[in-house]
Amino acid sequence: MKPVAFEYERPRTIDAALEHLATAPNAKILAGGQTLGPMLNLRLVQPDLLIDITRIPELVSVSDEGDALKIGACVTHASIEDARVEDHANGYLRRVASGIAYRAVRTRGTLGGSLSHADPAADWLSALLVLKAELEITGLHGSRRVGLKKFVRGAMETDLSPEELLIAVHVPRSEKTARHGYYKICRKTGEFADAIGAVSFNPGSGGFCLVAAGGSEQPVTFESPENLFSQGDPLDPDSFDMPMAMDALREAGMEADDYELQVRAVAMSRAMQDAMSP
Amino acid sequence: MTRIALTVNGTKVTREVTPRTNLADFLREELLLTGTHIGCEHGICGACTVVVDDEIARSCITYAVTCDGAEVRTIENFDEDALMAKLRQAFSEEHALQCGYCTPGMLVAARDLIRRGEARNEESIRIGMSGNLCRCTGYMGIVSAIAKVARAHNEKAEPDATTRTLGPAPGPDAPDGFATESMASAGSAKPVKAKAPAVTPVLDSQPSANVQTGEMTQEGKFTKLTQTITVNHPREDVWRYMADIEKVATCMPGVVLDGPPQEGHIDGRMLVKLGPISADLAGEADVARFEDEWRGIIEGKGRDTRSASLASGRVEYQLAEAEDGAATQMAVSIAYSLAGPLAQFSRGAIVRDLVSRLAGAFAQNLEARLSGRESDAAPAAALDAGSLVFSVLWDRIKAFFGKLLGRGSD
């Protein structure tokens, strides 16, 4: 239950962090360490070097870019939960943040750490997919932005190359009338979810996006999922058609048995109810 | 060793630590503050909860070196704290402890919950305290003790220090102790290992349409699963291609053979990467083919030296004609088992996802090679695949990952 011996570096700038990444073989980035820590202690991960990026000022900053909020990768879930970061998504970000694991995890766990680990059972992945978040990634050869959907390639697998660093998440500002919903099903509070449903409904632009995730494979995203409602009216969550949703999940390639599909459909349905509840 | 300077329970402390020393061990063994208890040691049980810069944190998965410049408070530091005094009293009155092992963590977490105004009713207390486990199962008493104090606690939560970092404490403004200077010299000057060719099994974010994964079942210590891969080439061609182990190996991401097969026996290794976990499996496999049945079997075992884990497995494939002979359907059944430290953790479904993606990559590479489109074959560049068809690799992989991944919660 003790990690292997590793070296530790604490760069103060993004460039210095990238230098370490480029020169040190078998290095791992350490942010809050709430996922990496257990893996280190269990020796599932045995790095030669940990690069602590929590003291790089840019990574713990938040800036308003007008149509989006740029949240530094090392901002903790608790900072969002406590509204120390503006919630420009009508309270949705706070709700999601406050349901992540436990308070003692949220105070250290970070937004960027969660996304770059890309555990399909993690909250931010599904929650931010419906908001069309974009990730800002930087490397020694320049920076790039990539949509979250494209970023996630599979369970625990992302578009991030070993020499790159996720530095910020751009979350588009929600319309005032937008309704977002989130629901996860887990056997014990705070545990990895068995199923997650997330939804974003934007009456102004007509944008409507529904995401379902399980504990194992990358989330399935439905754009314009009106056909999953028997009356074609998403404003009436009761008309959500469960059997049709299960079929849609199956068709989308979700490899799960009937029970698992049903739990995911239930999570979607409850996310709809969450979004539409006053 | 790295030198760190931090404040613990109001006292400035400077010590040399190894980077891997967690905060809990540092407090207990270096400072003899044994009030902080260690339970699960991987962030599940909450027994080690302490306060770092005014926020609760799990000291077993927080490394002491990352607390350089921070202010840490342990259970020993709350004697004069009015809210904690009420909690102690209530815990006693409500019989909120039996063996007492979880109590320091419970008290620290409960004080934080009340302080934040989140102990509104029984439900919110139970949710708020769900990260702290009591093995005596004395939750009734614990919850009622917290409720009792919360009811009488009318003060508003202490205002948050708005200057605090938005990231994990202590953040960019904290002084560096002496960390950086000694870190370099700490250098046990480890030989720099060649960077392992990271193997990324996935070529495409979408599950490959020509691979279907069946259900996973458990038989004794073996996990079994089946997969059907469809390749757009006649059965004869696929069968012939599959006979060349070295070629087939190049279709499998992450596999490297030690040399050509000797009478159906191969030695090789496979590197698999899943999130931050990577496993380098060295092993051997035996290959058998049954010409008249269009069937092949690969049986192998491997070992990951770093984790001292063993994997063994068996892959059987059977080729059938599809689409009037224009295509081939390959039915693959895989059975694998894992022993050693890695075997304790399992999130089988993630393995299934990985396996299915590996199969997708394999099918895509096989298809490309059969069509003579070398260039389209996997950006396998990094991974000079090794033989073992699916066998060795697969099993291992799966095996591996299967178990590796799952870490219970949080």
Side-chain angles (χ1 to χ4, degrees):
Chain A
M1 299 305 286
K2 307 293 179 196
V4 293
F6 49 76
E7 304 282 315
Y8 172 86
E9 290 288 355
R10 188 193 296 151
R12 293 284 183 166
T13 64
I14 290 172
D15 284 347
L18 292 174
E19 287 289 338
H20 286 305
L21 262 185
T23 51
N26 197 19
K28 289 278 176 263
I29 294 287
L30 173 72
Q34 300 302 288
T35 294
L36 190 56
M39 286 182 157
L40 286 168
N41 284 11
L42 296 169
R43 297 204 177 187
L44 293 178
V45 180
Q46 308 191 2
D48 294 327
L49 169 70
L50 281 196
I51 305 167
D52 181 348
I53 57 169
T54 63
R55 305 204 190 192
I56 300 174
E58 291 97 314
L59 302 190
V60 292
S61 70
V62 173
S63 54
D64 187 348
E65 303 196 312
D67 56 347
L69 194 68
K70 176 180 172 180
I71 307 176
C74 286
V75 168
T76 62
H77 314 314
S79 294
I80 297 171
E81 173 187 18
D82 297 347
R84 295 170 63 222
V85 171
E86 181 203 351
D87 187 340
H88 64 325
N90 307 340
Y92 174 72
L93 297 181
R94 282 189 74 178
R95 278 210 318 284
V96 172
S98 63
I100 298 171
Y102 317 104
R103 178 70 186 185
V105 168
R106 300 196 289 272
T107 57
R108 300 196 69 79
T110 67
L111 183 59
S114 171
L115 291 175
S116 46
H117 184 56
D119 188 319
D123 298 80
W124 286 124
L125 192 54
S126 297
L128 293 179
L129 271 171
V130 297
L131 294 189
K132 310 279 184 275
E134 285 192 358
L135 307 186
E136 189 174 333
I137 293 166
T138 193
L140 286 176
H141 306 295
S143 296
R144 62 193 178 103
R145 268 170 79 153
V146 58
L148 183 53
K149 185 155 187 260
K150 206 173 157 218
F151 176 76
V152 180
R153 298 169 128 207
M156 296 188 178
E157 179 164 352
T158 70
D159 188 39
L160 206 59
S161 84
E163 285 84 20
E164 287 180 320
L165 191 62
L166 168 60
I167 59 170
V169 183
H170 295 257
V171 184
R173 183 172 294 277
S174 296
E175 296 169 14
K176 285 266 184 302
T177 53
R179 286 175 169 274
H180 310 304
Y182 186 79
Y183 196 90
K184 67 172 165 179
I185 295 175
C186 26
R187 296 186 61 184
K188 172 182 175 291
T189 306
E191 213 170 38
F192 274 127
D194 289 330
I196 291 174
V199 63
S200 170
F201 182 67
N202 305 275
S205 64
F208 185 18
C209 179
L210 193 52
V211 161
S216 53
E217 65 284 292
Q218 63 175 327
V220 171
T221 307
F222 296 99
E223 301 287 353
S224 306
E226 283 85 354
N227 60 337
L228 298 181
F229 296 80
S230 55
Q231 311 297 320
D233 179 13
L235 289 172
D236 175 14
D238 291 339
S239 77
F240 184 73
D241 191 326
M242 293 277 292
M244 209 184 290
M246 287 169 66
D247 284 344
L249 289 173
R250 203 177 283 123
E251 269 167 40
M254 195 168 250
E255 282 164 5
D257 60 26
D258 286 350
Y259 166 75
E260 292 167 330
L261 286 176
Q262 189 176 347
V263 176
R264 287 158 211 203
V266 168
M268 287 162 85
S269 145
R270 292 187 187 166
M272 280 304 302
Q273 281 163 7
D274 178 46
M276 296 309 163
S277 64
Chain B
M1 299 291 265
T2 301
R3 174 163 286 235
I4 57 170
L6 65 167
T7 306
V8 178
N9 296 342
T11 307
K12 276 258 173 214
V13 172
T14 301
R15 287 285 192 286
E16 297 268 334
V17 296
T18 56
R20 67 167 170 164
T21 303
N22 66 42
L23 179 60
D25 281 342
F26 175 73
L27 294 168
R28 292 176 54 86
E29 295 176 12
E30 206 48 61
L31 307 181
L32 304 181
L33 292 168
T34 53
T36 298
H37 290 173
I38 296 176
C40 70
E41 214 168 3
H42 65 294
I44 306 295
C45 78
C48 67
T49 308
V50 299
V51 174
V52 179
D53 282 2
D54 286 333
E55 293 282 14
I56 57 170
R58 305 194 142 160
S59 57
C60 72
I61 52 172
T62 300
Y63 298 99
V65 69
T66 66
C67 296
D68 189 17
E71 217 165 285
V72 176
R73 293 184 76 183
T74 67
I75 190 70
E76 287 93 343
N77 192 234
F78 290 95
D79 289 358
E80 311 301 323
D81 184 274
L83 180 52
M84 194 65 101
K86 288 180 199 158
L87 273 168
R88 279 198 304 268
Q89 178 73 21
F91 264 57
S92 169
E93 287 165 4
E94 300 294 323
H95 308 288
L97 65 153
Q98 260 184 65
C99 80
Y101 200 84
C102 70
T103 310
M106 287 284 179
L107 286 170
V108 171
R111 176 182 170 277
D112 178 69
L113 192 71
I114 295 172
R115 197 183 59 86
R116 287 186 296 114
E118 293 293 328
R120 299 180 303 276
N121 49 42
E122 182 182 339
E123 191 191 2
S124 67
I125 292 171
R126 283 189 177 268
I127 291 173
M129 294 298 294
S130 60
N132 289 72
L133 305 183
C134 166
R135 248 197 117 175
C136 307
T137 67
Y139 297 104
M140 296 292 285
I142 293 168
V143 171
S144 54
I146 296 170
K148 192 178 200 175
V149 176
R151 270 196 304 274
H153 186 81
N154 297 318
E155 292 165 45
K156 277 277 174 204
E158 297 154 25
D160 271 332
T162 46
T163 51
R164 235 171 46 220
T165 174
L166 292 175
D173 293 337
D176 249 342
F178 307 93
T180 35
E181 79 173 64
S182 56
M183 241 170 320
S185 62
S188 35
K190 249 191 195 169
V192 173
K193 285 181 210 133
K195 200 162 199 165
V199 174
T200 306
V202 180
L203 307 174
D204 186 313
S205 63
Q206 293 311 313
S208 169
N210 48 13
V211 178
Q212 299 227 317
T213 308
E215 290 212 354
M216 242 171 171
T217 56
Q218 196 67 34
E219 278 180 38
K221 60 175 191 161
F222 279 87
T223 303
K224 297 190 166 182
L225 83 165
T226 57
Q227 230 157 19
T228 309
I229 300 173
T230 309
V231 189
N232 291 318
H233 289 274
R235 183 164 66 169
E236 286 279 353
D237 294 357
V238 178
W239 180 249
R240 209 177 316 121
Y241 193 88
M242 295 287 287
D244 188 335
I245 297 172
E246 286 177 284
K247 267 194 200 158
V248 172
T250 63
C251 296
M252 196 65 201
V255 174
V256 183
L257 291 193
D258 292 346
Q262 308 283 336
E263 291 171 16
H265 184 87
I266 41 183
D267 292 304
R269 60 202 305 115
M270 173 157 193
L271 183 64
V272 188
K273 190 171 169 296
L274 185 53
I277 302 170
S278 54
D280 189 358
L281 298 159
E284 54 183 344
D286 288 299
V287 182
R289 278 163 59 95
F290 305 92
E291 294 283 344
D292 42 350
E293 297 172 50
W294 304 93
R295 189 164 66 92
I297 296 174
I298 303 142
E299 230 167 341
K301 54 178 190 260
R303 179 185 164 84
D304 178 56
T305 352
R306 279 210 156 185
S307 66
S309 286
L310 299 166
S312 64
R314 179 180 201 271
V315 175
E316 183 166 345
Y317 65 89
Q318 171 115 45
L319 306 185
E321 293 191 315
E323 292 171 32
D324 294 329
T328 305
Q329 206 175 56
M330 193 184 299
V332 185
S333 66
I334 299 154
Y336 65 88
S337 78
L338 186 74
L342 296 178
Q344 310 162 25
F345 320 102
S346 184
R347 269 174 79 196
I350 285 193
V351 183
R352 187 174 57 189
D353 180 67
L354 176 74
V355 170
S356 130
R357 285 181 287 139
L358 275 174
F362 178 82
Q364 201 172 319
N365 292 341
L366 188 63
E367 177 88 49
R369 297 244 155 78
L370 282 166
S371 310
R373 288 180 283 116
E374 280 301 313
S375 55
D376 286 4
L383 29 118
D384 183 305
S387 65
L388 323 179
V389 193
F390 325 91
S391 52
V392 180
L393 341 176
W394 265 12
D395 340 7
R396 295 163 171 204
I397 299 190
K398 298 169 185 174
F400 258 25
F401 290 134
K403 319 293 180 122
L404 307 191
L405 298 188
R407 108 214 99 138
S409 49
D410 81 16

